[in-house]
Amino acid sequence: IAKAISSIYEEDEDVVGVVVVDSSGLCLATDGGIPESAAGVIASIAAHGDHLLPANPTQTADVSPVVQIEAESLTITIRKTPLITLGIFKSRHV
């Protein structure tokens, strides 16, 4: 997990924090000062995002929306995969 988190930082210099959550909503890792308590919130938002997609019989169950939360100085991108949910925190250049 540490290598994957490190590669996220390498790919985008605006990344300031990462949360990795398992399929049960338990925190696997955090970085950048993001508290472990954020893991449950990230997992919940991803699960609610699934309910926003209409049922489509041609898509597999692995398809999940990417949720993006924008604040004045921060953007949080949340993506759910079959095994993990990832929250990426980025600083915004205003």
Side-chain angles (χ1 to χ4, degrees):
I1 293 177
K3 280 186 175 184
I5 290 174
S6 180
S7 71
I8 291 169
Y9 283 102
E10 290 170 6
E11 290 175 14
D12 190 338
E13 62 186 32
D14 293 333
V15 173
V16 295
V18 178
V19 176
V20 183
V21 185
D22 74 5
S23 59
S24 298
L26 299 173
C27 182
L28 297 176
T30 65
D31 194 71
I34 308 301
E36 286 187 15
S37 59
V41 177
I42 295 293
S44 178
I45 291 169
H48 286 292
D50 283 342
H51 297 293
L52 295 174
L53 286 179
N56 186 342
T58 63
Q59 292 180 338
T60 66
D62 297 345
V63 175
S64 189
V66 174
V67 178
Q68 189 160 324
I69 301 170
E70 294 184 3
E72 190 169 320
S73 63
L74 187 71
T75 299
I76 306 167
T77 303
I78 302 168
R79 180 178 179 122
K80 183 179 174 186
T81 68
L83 298 177
I84 64 163
T85 298
L86 187 64
I88 301 174
F89 294 70
K90 294 183 183 183
S91 62
R92 290 187 66 189
H93 302 289
V94 189

